[in-house]
Amino acid sequence: MMNNKLYKKLVIAMMITTISTVAAAPAADTTASVRPVDLAQADAIQSRAKAEQQEIQAEKAQQRKAAKAEAKAKKVADAVRPVDITPELREELAQKIADDSAKSAEKAAAKRAKTQEIDPVIVIGRVPTNGAVDLNLPKTVQMALDYNRDIKNSQYALKKAEYTIDEAKAGKAPVVDYTFSTQRSRATDASLAASRSRNAISNAFGNNLSVTIPLYTGGKVEGNIDVAKLGKTNAQEDILRVEQATKYSAIEGYYGLLAYQELQGVYHEAVDNLQGHLDNVQAQYNVGTKAKVDVLSSDVSLANAKTTAITADNNVAIAESNLNNILGLPLETKLNLADHQLPFDTYNISLQEATDYAMKYRPEVLQAAIAVQQAERNIDIADAGNKPTVAITGGNNWADNTFPGIDANKRSWNIGAGVTYNFYDGGATKAKVNQAKQDLLVARETEQKTREAVQLEVKQAYLNIRSAAQKVEETQTVVDQAHENYRIQNIRYQAGVGINLDVLDAQLSLNEAQVNHIQALYDYNVGIAKLEQVMGVDVESGVIHPSLTATTYRG
């Protein structure tokens, strides 16, 4: 019987030979001969087919493995994915938070009503909605200082620092503890009967009053008190820092609104000028002395000017809302400014004077110095672990089997003194000391970095003032020239010796000159406020406005 494997090879070889012969024969040749079977070729073909089949199976296995991994990852992601916040759930959450806040506010109001306590948190609404407030610059600054929430937060932080000092001082005060204990127990007493045992239930009540007076803590308590006091000084400096930042924001907001109002006037004046020019051009075109192109170009310029004026109106509204927000007023409040144009008052100070003042009074510089002092105290606090502690203790104890356990005949007392010294703690104290020393180095580097940064800020602010002052003088001259040029070009055009483009260019140049002048004045006045802030000038002093003082608002 023929071997099965050999039989398969012969069949495959015959099929291949037949197919190859048919494919190779010419279309007209119907007498193609049969080629002999090549068993080696059949083995090679079978091997290649088997290898291809294995590759296909391996590829399918890899795809199945990847699909399983992807499904597993998706399952894990679905398990940890948060629940989608639907609009209904969002509405429910918002309503719940609003209701809880209202209930909390009602409870707090009722509690304040009983104690006649005033709520320190002022809610917006000191003036009626759509009301009006008259402002000058000192009043603006003072209102911001009175109602700014950042200042209030820094004042709360100062109060917290004072409580921290009280907490540190408590480390030197006696500690009085009282303990009441009670116990019910059952004991087996087999001595009462030889043949059986009996259970005895008893009660025990005890009272203990103890006092511990620390005499010496290795300087730890004293160090904590010093650090707490420095923390209070730091909080005081932080109040000054926030007040100075608030003052700057108020001045910036006031001058920002004033500048936008001036720009609003400039752009609306341009609209009026271009409207008048268009009317003149239209009249001359109607009588045939001007071309249609002049009317069209004038109309386009007027439309562009109106668009710019609309933007200016919007800028004024935004600046007014911004200042209302700084002052804690309703955003719809109408603000009537006492000033109608940005001032240009002389401000004389040398760069060296400004720098020296900042190094002496700038809150951030002083806070960095305080941080160094705190780091030095922390080294002493950490080193206290290497020193002994001494304390006096005393107490009274009462015990009885009836409640409340106070029986004068069963009283005991104790008094004593103890010294505790930690000979070895695995190097923990040494590690704390080394950490504190590294903190000191960090604090010193930070102090120098702060001083360098402040010096840079002072110089930048100083140079910006000088630059703005020069721009104010230069742009004032340009504004005067632009006004005169616009007047001349109008006369020339009306006389028929000028062209329309000259008038439009003159108006554009006038607008640009006025905008540059207003920007220079704004930069100069806000620059002065910025210089005083980076110098650390106190909010009650410094140049706000030469003709007004902060007492104008208070009085």
Side-chain angles (χ1 to χ4, degrees):
M1 187 174 182
M2 185 179 293
N3 186 279
N4 289 334
K5 292 180 66 177
L6 181 60
Y7 178 75
K8 289 181 181 180
K9 291 181 181 179
L10 289 174
V11 172
I12 293 172
M14 292 175 64
M15 292 175 62
I16 293 172
T17 302
T18 304
I19 294 172
S20 300
T21 303
V22 173
D29 188 3
T30 59
T31 62
S33 61
V34 179
R35 297 182 180 181
V37 176
D38 188 350
L39 296 180
Q41 183 181 10
D43 288 340
I45 294 173
Q46 186 179 15
S47 299
R48 285 197 300 271
K50 184 176 182 180
E52 291 176 357
Q53 185 66 24
Q54 290 176 347
E55 290 179 0
I56 293 173
Q57 292 176 352
E59 184 178 354
K60 289 182 178 180
Q62 187 68 22
Q63 290 176 351
R64 287 194 298 270
K65 185 177 180 180
K68 288 182 179 180
E70 183 179 356
K72 184 178 180 181
K74 185 177 184 301
K75 184 177 181 181
V76 173
D78 291 340
V80 300
R81 187 182 65 186
V83 179
D84 293 334
I85 306 298
T86 62
E88 294 77 11
L89 179 58
R90 182 181 181 187
E91 178 65 26
E92 180 182 348
L93 292 174
Q95 188 61 45
K96 184 179 184 303
I97 293 172
D99 293 342
D100 292 345
S101 298
K103 292 179 182 178
S104 178
E106 290 177 2
K107 290 177 62 177
K111 183 178 179 180
R112 286 193 299 270
K114 291 181 179 179
T115 59
Q116 296 183 346
E117 180 184 356
I118 299 176
D119 186 3
V121 180
I122 300 174
V123 181
I124 290 179
R126 291 178 287 111
V127 299
T129 305
N130 296 324
V133 175
D134 295 330
L135 289 178
N136 55 38
L137 188 56
K139 180 178 178 180
T140 300
V141 171
Q142 196 58 57
M143 287 181 66
L145 294 175
D146 288 343
Y147 300 105
N148 183 268
R149 301 194 185 281
D150 290 334
I151 295 178
K152 289 181 176 293
N153 288 336
S154 61
Q155 291 171 345
Y156 301 149
L158 175 59
K159 202 67 178 177
K160 179 180 177 181
E162 293 175 350
Y163 293 139
T164 304
I165 296 176
D166 296 338
E167 178 186 1
K169 288 181 177 179
K172 300 180 71 175
V175 178
V176 181
D177 291 320
Y178 169 76
T179 304
F180 171 77
S181 62
T182 180
Q183 179 179 338
R184 185 176 179 85
S185 61
R186 182 175 64 185
T188 301
D189 187 356
S191 64
L192 298 179
S195 60
R196 61 186 179 88
S197 63
R198 148 175 139 174
N199 294 331
I201 298 176
S202 63
N203 298 322
F205 301 94
N207 295 269
N208 175 265
L209 183 65
S210 64
V211 178
T212 303
I213 304 175
L215 298 181
Y216 179 69
T217 60
K220 182 177 181 179
V221 173
E222 291 77 5
N224 287 332
I225 294 174
D226 290 341
V227 170
K229 288 181 178 179
L230 289 170
K232 177 182 177 181
T233 304
N234 183 78
Q236 291 171 329
E237 288 297 327
D238 202 57
I239 289 178
L240 296 177
R241 179 190 64 81
V242 176
E243 285 180 344
Q244 291 163 12
T246 301
K247 172 187 172 183
Y248 172 74
S249 296
I251 295 175
E252 184 182 37
Y254 182 89
Y255 281 135
L257 176 57
L258 182 57
Y260 276 123
Q261 287 178 345
E262 286 199 61
L263 290 173
Q264 184 183 39
V266 168
Y267 291 125
H268 279 278
E269 180 186 8
V271 169
D272 294 339
N273 290 343
L274 290 172
Q275 183 64 61
H277 177 68
L278 176 61
D279 294 342
N280 179 43
V281 173
Q282 185 68 49
Q284 295 190 53
Y285 169 74
N286 291 337
V287 297
T289 59
K290 296 297 180 182
K292 181 67 174 179
V293 66
D294 286 0
V295 177
L296 295 176
S297 59
S298 299
D299 198 14
V300 170
S301 296
L302 175 60
N304 291 334
K306 288 181 177 179
T307 301
T308 306
I310 293 172
T311 302
D313 295 340
N314 185 64
N315 289 338
V316 169
I318 293 175
E320 188 173 59
S321 297
N322 177 62
L323 186 53
N324 279 326
N325 183 62
I326 294 172
L327 301 180
L329 297 173
L331 299 183
E332 299 80 11
T333 305
K334 175 63 178 177
L335 301 179
N336 301 319
L337 304 187
D339 296 292
H340 299 290
Q341 61 181 13
L342 292 162
F344 184 51
D345 302 308
T346 303
Y347 189 79
N348 291 324
I349 187 173
S350 68
L351 177 59
Q352 189 61 48
E353 289 173 338
T355 303
D356 292 342
Y357 190 97
M359 292 298 99
K360 186 176 181 180
Y361 296 109
R362 175 77 180 265
E364 287 89 337
V365 173
L366 298 178
Q367 286 177 313
I370 291 172
V372 172
Q373 297 177 39
Q374 288 178 319
E376 292 172 345
R377 300 297 188 280
N378 286 332
I379 294 177
D380 297 334
I381 294 173
D383 192 53
N386 292 321
K387 300 175 183 179
T389 59
V390 181
I392 296 176
T393 59
N396 271 300
N397 296 279
W398 295 268
D400 197 2
N401 56 7
T402 60
F403 183 81
I406 300 177
D407 188 343
N409 296 323
K410 296 181 179 180
R411 170 180 172 270
S412 65
W413 59 270
N414 65 82
I415 186 171
V419 177
T420 302
Y421 187 82
N422 193 349
F423 284 99
Y424 181 70
D425 60 0
T429 299
K430 182 179 180 181
K432 291 179 180 178
V433 172
N434 290 333
Q435 291 176 32
K437 288 180 179 179
Q438 296 305 310
D439 290 339
L440 174 60
L441 294 176
V442 171
R444 292 180 59 191
E445 291 289 351
T446 302
E447 180 188 20
Q448 294 305 314
K449 179 181 178 181
T450 301
R451 295 176 68 88
E452 293 166 359
V454 169
Q455 290 176 0
L456 177 61
E457 289 177 353
V458 170
K459 185 169 184 179
Q460 289 175 336
Y462 180 85
L463 294 177
N464 286 338
I465 291 177
R466 299 276 75 83
S467 174
Q470 295 175 5
K471 289 180 180 179
V472 170
E473 296 174 351
E474 293 296 329
T475 54
Q476 181 60 62
T477 302
V478 175
V479 168
D480 295 339
Q481 294 173 344
H483 270 295
E484 181 64 16
N485 180 53
Y486 178 73
R487 186 186 67 84
I488 293 174
Q489 295 302 335
N490 258 321
I491 294 175
R492 284 170 53 82
Y493 184 78
Q494 293 174 7
V497 295
I499 60 175
N500 186 53
L501 182 60
D502 291 339
V503 177
L504 301 180
D505 285 345
Q507 178 62 59
L508 188 62
S509 298
L510 176 58
N511 286 355
E512 183 178 358
Q514 291 174 318
V515 170
N516 290 339
H517 183 61
I518 293 171
Q519 183 66 54
L521 286 170
Y522 171 81
D523 292 342
Y524 178 76
N525 286 281
V526 174
I528 293 175
K530 186 63 177 179
L531 178 60
E532 291 185 349
Q533 182 199 6
V534 299
M535 287 170 58
V537 176
D538 186 76
V539 294
E540 300 297 337
S541 59
V543 173
I544 295 178
H545 195 291
S547 61
L548 298 171
T549 62
T551 56
T552 305
Y553 167 61
R554 288 191 179 277

